[in-house]
Amino acid sequence: MTSFNKLGKQSIVFPNPVSITSFASIVGPKEKQGPLGDYFNNVLEDNYNYEKTWEITEHKMLRHSLEIALQQKGYLPSDLDYFLAGDLLNQIIASSFAARGLAVPYIGLYGACSTIVEGILLGAVLLTGSFGKKIGVGTCSHHDALERQLRFPTELGVQRPLTSQWTVTGSGSFILENTQDKSMITQGIFGKIIDMGISNAMDMGSAMAPAAAATIDQFLKDTQRTPQDIDLIVTGDLGNIGRNLCKDLLSEKGWDIADNYTDCGILIYDPSQDVHAGGSGAGCCSSVLAAYLLPQLLEGRWNNMFVVATGALLSPTSTQQGETIPCIAHGVLIEKR
Amino acid sequence: MTSFNKLGKQSIVFPNPVSITSFASIVGPKEKQGPLGDYFNNVLEDNYNYEKTWEITEHKMLRHSLEIALQQKGYLPSDLDYFLAGDLLNQIIASSFAARGLAVPYIGLYGACSTIVEGILLGAVLLTGSFGKKIGVGTCSHHDALERQLRFPTELGVQRPLTSQWTVTGSGSFILENTQDKSMITQGIFGKIIDMGISNAMDMGSAMAPAAAATIDQFLKDTQRTPQDIDLIVTGDLGNIGRNLCKDLLSEKGWDIADNYTDCGILIYDPSQDVHAGGSGAGCCSSVLAAYLLPQLLEGRWNNMFVVATGALLSPTSTQQGETIPCIAHGVLIEKR
């Protein structure tokens, strides 16, 4: 390989065909009741789904979304060269336990809610280097498992401020192959950490918006595009507050994204569902991408979309120690062929 | 790129030159007192090193080891195309906070103590695909920060069983470039998760040994080598108990590695230091590799070494829920040119 596959300062281009050949999603009952309810492949009976703990339910969700994605192509786990996954539980146990018994080389990732695009980009990088032919990528989150880990005991039902977001119970998995298929991964960008000094862990949207804006701005510059050259720009889980902030920040840089921009955390719930600022979690962007965005792309609603998954890289420990929130956003351009 | 860069069933080969062009380590006072004490680039004054919390000390350690590695080559952080890092703190805050302010695209990883080899392999994969020219990879761990997170309040000084290992306070960072330098990354293997049903979080060596043995066995088969074709096989942090188990497991498969096999968790401490079964932690393999193994390779003591970093992918939550421990081992072959 002699050509250099970077575009501009920070973006990358995939010179050979890399496609998302299959994808699947599974969510909890609350997500089923949302506006995208009919699009998910599968829905949990309740947040336990016959398991003893929420953590087990979460890892089985990820395993299940991967298995559906495999089955749709008639593949077995053993057909995969790698499984890249991550989640928000401490030591990403949902991903590691989902990978247990798969017997597939496993690459654990942590990018908080940005993980799905981090994984898709690394999967495309592995395929570009001819290190494999079929790669599974998936993420998940579970509202009840995460709330008690990051905030308060879930059963306590502590009142949440209006800036807070609701962790999605859901998982999305994707099969990547170096073939020419209908949805192609053509360009991408790994984000830099942006920390604007926000320390309120109940307002992740505001914390993450500058990272999303920085990644979108850099990608547009690197690829010499305007926002109007992309049919849909979609962030991972900025929610209402973060979405507006991201739009304003990009407007300051001279980019008008008002007409073709949305956010997975806004799409997944209806305002009547009392989720306050919107959805979040590592399973938010991945389940919406698998259930709604990719199918709509394939149906021709858009010809290309730039998916920017956003992550807040804090922990309860860092918050308790008074640290501000480092945030990141990774982006991938997916085109219909 | 037309050739396929997999070797056998699971291993990979890097067809273009990928070198570790610089590396650095920093450790705590206890590690300084160990047999490798004179080899580390820098040593903390104490486990706080003038910081308010152990967590801050940990992320500054990682940042510092990266900065030393950069300075040795006269590089600035802005010369890096990516920084790949991971650690054991919840939500890998040590890595994310170390990356904050670097202004380098950041790829967060979680492979527990196996993370350093996961990162080196992914860095080499990125270079092979021409997605960058200079890549930083680093990991860290901090005894006091990790003990209180994973086990008991550190100050409590709870008595530890003899099978337990001592988390290394240390960090190692590496600069990877696609140039022909003295230490070349030529082959590697991403591990599969192996879970032999061990649930004792105080005996990680026994839990991880089967994963190490599986990775070593598969790599030897894939690359059609015998253990005698490799000058040094070194595992990440199996400690005394895991080391012996790994040797026995490989012996059952017909491989005799007795003469050229050691473990970073054994190398870093002297038995008189009361660490029981040896060292562990995401900074164990990385600091020993940077301080001792790579310099010895460059001095000609070995012509090649197979570094197999091992990780136990559990969390306190999974242990409390009675789950067994999924383990993984990623391997990289480093050759002197």
Side-chain angles (χ1 to χ4, degrees):
Chain A
M1 179 156 293
T2 48
S3 66
F4 196 59
N5 294 322
K6 270 186 96 165
L7 278 174
K9 283 189 180 170
Q10 196 177 337
S11 302
I12 56 177
V13 59
F14 300 106
N16 305 326
V18 178
S19 301
I20 302 177
T21 58
S22 186
F23 44 88
S25 61
I26 172 167
V27 292
K30 190 179 182 88
E31 291 69 27
K32 170 73 183 167
Q33 289 159 14
L36 307 182
D38 291 341
Y39 295 96
F40 302 105
N41 291 82
N42 216 331
V43 180
L44 305 179
E45 286 285 318
D46 59 28
N47 275 7
Y48 280 107
N49 204 49
Y50 311 107
E51 303 297 340
K52 268 191 311 181
T53 72
W54 293 318
E55 288 77 12
I56 296 176
T57 309
E58 180 172 349
H59 88 241
K60 293 210 171 171
M61 234 181 358
L62 174 55
R63 178 66 169 264
H64 194 49
S65 72
L66 178 70
E67 282 170 352
I68 299 172
L70 287 167
Q71 281 159 12
Q72 287 172 169
K73 291 286 285 185
Y75 295 158
L76 296 170
S78 57
D79 291 325
L80 293 177
D81 292 291
Y82 309 98
F83 178 49
L84 287 79
D87 60 274
L88 289 156
L89 293 184
N90 294 342
Q91 289 76 51
I92 64 163
I93 50 167
S95 301
S96 302
F97 281 83
R100 182 170 67 168
L102 270 187
V104 171
Y106 167 64
I107 299 173
L109 307 176
Y110 186 81
C113 310
S114 75
T115 307
I116 190 59
V117 172
E118 179 185 342
I120 287 174
L121 290 179
L122 285 174
V125 164
L126 280 158
L127 289 175
T128 300
S130 292
F131 294 104
K133 290 176 175 168
K134 292 184 177 67
I135 295 180
V137 184
T139 62
C140 57
S141 53
H142 188 296
H143 177 82
D144 299 327
L146 196 68
E147 284 303 303
R148 71 167 163 190
Q149 175 189 283
L150 292 188
R151 299 182 183 99
F152 301 102
T154 314
E155 299 88 342
L156 208 59
V158 170
Q159 195 173 357
R160 302 155 56 243
L162 289 173
T163 53
S164 72
Q165 293 173 246
W166 188 272
T167 301
V168 166
T169 299
S171 171
S173 285
F174 305 83
I175 309 298
L176 271 50
E177 300 185 61
N178 47 6
T179 53
Q180 190 104 25
D181 208 324
K182 280 170 254 166
S183 58
M184 310 284 296
I185 296 167
T186 53
Q187 297 177 345
I189 178 169
F190 286 103
K192 299 177 181 178
I193 288 183
I194 309 284
D195 185 334
M196 298 300 278
I198 290 172
S199 58
N200 181 4
M202 290 293 192
D203 183 9
M204 301 286 206
S206 296
M208 295 190 292
T215 291
I216 294 168
D217 175 57
Q218 191 63 53
F219 183 77
L220 292 172
K221 285 178 185 157
D222 285 346
T223 63
Q224 301 182 316
R225 282 193 178 87
T226 69
Q228 285 61 50
D229 297 328
I230 302 174
D231 291 348
L232 180 74
I233 297 173
V234 54
T235 44
D237 55 352
L238 295 185
N240 291 309
I241 295 168
R243 187 254 320 254
N244 292 339
L245 197 52
C246 178
K247 215 158 40 177
D248 291 350
L249 288 167
L250 284 168
S251 168
E252 282 175 17
K253 292 176 198 277
W255 303 121
D256 177 10
I257 61 166
D259 293 337
N260 54 342
Y261 169 49
T262 189
D263 179 81
C264 299
I266 294 171
L267 290 170
I268 196 165
Y269 296 119
D270 188 82
S272 69
Q273 289 183 285
D274 200 26
V275 295
H276 298 350
S280 68
C284 178
C285 184
S286 65
S287 64
V288 172
L289 181 58
Y292 177 70
L293 298 173
L294 278 172
Q296 296 282 308
L297 181 90
L298 294 184
E299 284 179 18
R301 181 159 170 197
W302 311 294
N303 280 312
N304 59 18
M305 60 183 176
F306 184 47
V307 183
V308 182
T310 43
L313 305 172
L314 80 171
S315 83
T317 304
S318 73
T319 300
Q320 284 160 13
Q321 292 179 354
E323 293 275 2
T324 55
I325 306 175
C327 294
I328 200 161
H330 303 296
V332 61
L333 187 76
I334 308 177
E335 296 188 60
K336 181 173 185 282
R337 283 286 156 91
Chain B
M1 179 157 291
T2 49
S3 66
F4 196 60
N5 294 322
K6 269 186 95 166
L7 278 173
K9 284 188 180 172
Q10 195 178 339
S11 302
I12 55 178
V13 59
F14 299 107
N16 306 326
V18 179
S19 300
I20 301 177
T21 58
S22 186
F23 44 88
S25 60
I26 172 166
V27 293
K30 189 178 182 89
E31 292 69 26
K32 171 73 184 168
Q33 289 158 13
L36 306 183
D38 292 341
Y39 296 96
F40 301 106
N41 291 81
N42 217 331
V43 180
L44 305 179
E45 285 286 316
D46 59 27
N47 275 7
Y48 280 107
N49 204 49
Y50 310 107
E51 303 297 341
K52 269 192 311 183
T53 72
W54 294 318
E55 288 77 12
I56 296 176
T57 310
E58 181 171 348
H59 88 241
K60 293 211 171 170
M61 238 184 350
L62 174 56
R63 179 66 169 263
H64 195 49
S65 71
L66 178 70
E67 282 170 351
I68 300 172
L70 287 167
Q71 281 159 12
Q72 287 172 168
K73 290 287 283 186
Y75 295 158
L76 296 170
S78 57
D79 291 325
L80 293 177
D81 293 291
Y82 310 98
F83 178 49
L84 288 78
D87 60 273
L88 289 157
L89 294 184
N90 295 341
Q91 290 77 53
I92 64 165
I93 50 168
S95 301
S96 302
F97 280 84
R100 183 170 65 168
L102 269 187
V104 172
Y106 166 64
I107 299 174
L109 307 175
Y110 187 81
C113 311
S114 74
T115 307
I116 190 59
V117 172
E118 178 184 342
I120 288 175
L121 291 179
L122 286 174
V125 164
L126 280 158
L127 290 175
T128 300
S130 292
F131 295 104
K133 289 176 175 169
K134 292 183 178 67
I135 296 180
V137 184
T139 63
C140 57
S141 53
H142 189 296
H143 177 82
D144 299 327
L146 196 68
E147 284 303 303
R148 71 167 162 188
Q149 175 188 284
L150 292 186
R151 299 180 184 98
F152 301 102
T154 314
E155 299 88 341
L156 207 61
V158 170
Q159 195 172 356
R160 301 156 56 245
L162 291 172
T163 53
S164 72
Q165 293 172 246
W166 187 271
T167 302
V168 166
T169 299
S171 171
S173 285
F174 305 83
I175 310 298
L176 271 50
E177 299 184 62
N178 47 7
T179 53
Q180 190 102 26
D181 208 324
K182 280 171 254 167
S183 58
M184 309 284 297
I185 296 166
T186 53
Q187 295 176 346
I189 177 169
F190 286 102
K192 298 177 182 179
I193 287 184
I194 309 283
D195 185 334
M196 298 300 277
I198 290 172
S199 59
N200 181 3
M202 290 292 192
D203 184 7
M204 301 285 206
S206 295
M208 295 190 291
T215 291
I216 295 168
D217 175 57
Q218 191 63 51
F219 183 76
L220 293 172
K221 284 178 184 157
D222 284 346
T223 63
Q224 301 182 317
R225 284 191 177 87
T226 70
Q228 286 62 51
D229 297 327
I230 303 174
D231 290 349
L232 181 73
I233 297 173
V234 54
T235 44
D237 55 352
L238 295 185
N240 291 309
I241 295 169
R243 187 255 318 255
N244 291 338
L245 196 53
C246 179
K247 214 158 41 178
D248 291 350
L249 287 168
L250 284 168
S251 168
E252 282 175 17
K253 293 175 196 279
W255 303 120
D256 177 9
I257 61 165
D259 294 336
N260 53 342
Y261 169 50
T262 189
D263 178 81
C264 298
I266 295 171
L267 290 170
I268 195 164
Y269 296 120
D270 188 82
S272 70
Q273 289 182 283
D274 200 25
V275 294
H276 299 351
S280 68
C284 179
C285 185
S286 65
S287 64
V288 172
L289 181 58
Y292 178 69
L293 298 173
L294 278 172
Q296 296 281 309
L297 181 91
L298 295 183
E299 283 179 18
R301 181 159 169 199
W302 312 295
N303 280 311
N304 59 18
M305 60 183 175
F306 185 48
V307 183
V308 183
T310 43
L313 304 172
L314 79 170
S315 83
T317 305
S318 72
T319 300
Q320 284 160 13
Q321 293 180 351
E323 292 277 1
T324 54
I325 306 175
C327 293
I328 200 160
H330 302 296
V332 61
L333 188 75
I334 307 176
E335 297 188 60
K336 181 173 185 281
R337 283 286 156 90

